[in-house]
Amino acid sequence: MRKIIAFFTAAVLAVFMIPTFIPAVSSLFSRDDVQIADENTGAITAGSFDKPFTVSVYRCDLNTVESHDFEEYITGVLAGEMPPTYNIEALSAQAVAARSYILSKAEAYFNGQIPEEHHGAMICTNPNHCKAWRDLTAAKASWDVRYANDYEDKIRSAVKRTEGEYMTYKGEVVKAYFYAMSSGRTENVEDVWGTALPYLRSVDSREDAMSDGFESLSTFDLSSLCSRLKAARQDFSMSDASDFEEKPERTDGGSVVKIKIGNTEFKGSELREILGLRSANFTVTSDGDKLTFKVKGYGHGVGMSQNGANVLAERGMKYREILSHYYTDVNIVNLYKKL
Ligand SMILES: [Zn+2]
């Protein structure tokens, strides 16, 4: 008898509680068709989304929130993040990487953690926070008119042929970082941001070393270098232009971990930011009153090198192979339910 009463009590509670619970969840996400595997973590599961999947995007340039079909949004990320002159296989790899990166951001949103910068939206168009995004019509107007239609077709076809595809590692969405050009090897993620991830390991990307713009030089005279470094670290001082550590500690990818200049030790990434260097993989030389930073690559170095992806694509590599090269042991899965 007690069991029967307990069953009825549970059933009555369930009937009354479920309707109040469901509207609370759906109003939080503003999505009825998104299936989240775990409401506590916001984890996304492959094959669980209906099409079209609409995302809300905060446009930093217009200070407005817009709704876009996710696939259409990805065409805008391609237009904002990769030259349309690149090979279709590199653009396709970029489409899958962009989906993965943005979905990894969306998991926080599904978990109810909406960053202030998003003004309530799932994604923003600040390249330093989420990813760069350009309205395709506006992007097209800025391209060489002779090729603009071809570029648009290529971008759309890269998105279409990879529709819904993103990367997972052991079922979890991959934080698919990417950047313009490696320094010849990519970086272990923990060497750049502190926390290790098994799929963001240092891998060979020697194709970059043969590309235009691989090396850049930044020269400073002693007084301008001192004033910049002093602005960042008040106690900074150096005796002359040769007062720096010649063989600093380096990461597996080749970036400077830390370097002593004058009386102060700087992290390589910190020095990159203060001096506006293209990457943290640099060597320093001095000549009289001048210091020159010879820099390799362009960007943070974690994950896919966009230039490297394009060179590999030009050599015949397909987008899935390119992704497997830059992201270790990942799977490519699809977001959408099979019809
Ligand atoms: Zn953002």
Side-chain angles (χ1 to χ4, degrees):
M1 186 65 184
R2 228 179 247 172
K3 271 186 188 163
I4 294 171
I5 290 170
F7 174 77
F8 275 105
T9 310
V12 167
L13 274 175
V15 165
F16 281 98
M17 288 187 70
I18 286 169
T20 55
F21 180 63
I22 288 175
V25 171
S26 59
S27 65
L28 173 65
F29 302 147
S30 306
R31 302 282 326 145
D32 294 328
D33 56 347
V34 171
Q35 300 297 309
I36 307 303
D38 183 336
E39 279 151 8
N40 293 319
T41 63
I44 287 167
T45 320
S48 65
F49 281 39
D50 286 329
K51 266 193 304 189
F53 164 45
T54 308
V55 292
S56 52
V57 181
Y58 173 68
R59 288 273 303 261
C60 302
D61 54 339
L62 304 177
N63 192 24
T64 54
V65 173
E66 296 178 351
S67 288
H68 292 276
D69 167 59
F70 186 50
E71 298 301 316
E72 188 63 27
Y73 163 76
I74 294 295
T75 63
V77 176
L78 256 60
E81 291 282 358
M82 186 175 259
T85 49
Y86 274 21
N87 187 288
I88 179 80
E89 297 296 334
L91 285 159
S92 303
Q94 179 68 90
V96 178
R99 268 190 216 94
S100 306
Y101 184 82
I102 291 300
L103 287 172
S104 74
K105 284 254 164 186
E107 286 189 317
Y109 174 88
F110 291 141
N111 187 22
Q113 299 168 343
I114 306 174
E116 215 169 282
E117 299 93 318
H118 285 190
H119 301 264
M122 192 184 291
I123 301 157
C124 75
T125 57
N126 176 355
N128 298 322
H129 191 261
C130 288
K131 280 293 155 205
W133 179 90
R134 288 181 84 189
D135 177 85
L136 205 54
T137 316
K140 211 175 153 183
S142 72
W143 293 334
D144 186 328
V145 68
R146 292 170 296 173
Y147 310 117
N149 283 336
D150 291 346
Y151 291 161
E152 181 183 5
D153 288 349
K154 194 160 45 156
I155 285 179
R156 288 197 180 283
S157 123
V159 174
K160 184 70 192 160
R161 73 202 282 254
T162 62
E163 187 182 71
E165 289 181 357
Y166 70 103
M167 290 176 283
T168 58
Y169 180 87
K170 295 191 173 168
E172 285 183 20
V173 180
V174 161
K175 291 184 177 73
Y177 296 101
F178 51 87
Y179 53 92
M181 188 188 282
S182 85
S183 54
R185 274 193 80 79
T186 73
E187 296 289 345
N188 291 317
V189 64
E190 68 271 23
D191 291 336
V192 179
W193 293 306
T195 306
L197 284 167
Y199 51 84
L200 292 172
R201 314 311 308 152
S202 178
V203 299
D204 185 279
S205 189
R206 69 187 68 185
E207 297 74 22
D208 286 317
M210 288 163 262
S211 298
D212 289 345
F214 175 69
E215 267 186 8
S216 56
L217 297 176
S218 294
T219 301
F220 302 87
D221 59 43
L222 186 60
S223 63
S224 78
L225 183 88
C226 282
S227 65
R228 282 196 191 214
L229 296 183
K230 214 170 163 44
R233 300 278 201 94
Q234 285 180 351
D235 296 334
F236 174 81
S237 69
M238 71 189 289
S239 52
D240 58 64
S242 63
D243 186 10
F244 58 84
E245 188 180 358
E246 281 183 25
K247 291 196 171 162
E249 183 189 345
R250 290 180 184 274
T251 63
D252 290 353
S255 287
V256 170
V257 175
K258 51 189 193 251
I259 181 169
K260 195 163 181 223
I261 300 186
N263 64 346
T264 307
E265 193 170 81
F266 294 89
K267 280 185 178 173
S269 55
E270 181 188 8
L271 208 57
R272 180 196 171 198
E273 199 170 309
I274 297 169
L275 300 178
L277 307 176
R278 280 161 64 111
S279 87
N281 190 328
F282 54 81
T283 50
V284 195
T285 52
S286 67
D287 183 10
D289 214 17
K290 292 191 186 310
L291 285 100
T292 296
F293 292 77
K294 189 156 90 173
V295 185
K296 291 180 184 174
Y298 194 0
H300 51 66
V302 178
M304 185 177 79
S305 157
Q306 293 170 312
N307 176 77
N310 191 46
V311 176
L312 293 174
E314 291 288 322
R315 287 189 193 159
M317 210 183 252
K318 303 296 177 196
Y319 75 91
R320 286 171 170 267
E321 297 170 284
I322 294 169
L323 291 167
S324 296
H325 174 71
Y326 284 111
Y327 305 102
T328 307
D329 295 335
V330 297
N331 291 311
I332 298 176
V333 296
N334 205 296
L335 188 63
Y336 301 121
K337 287 177 187 166
K338 283 204 178 98
L339 295 174

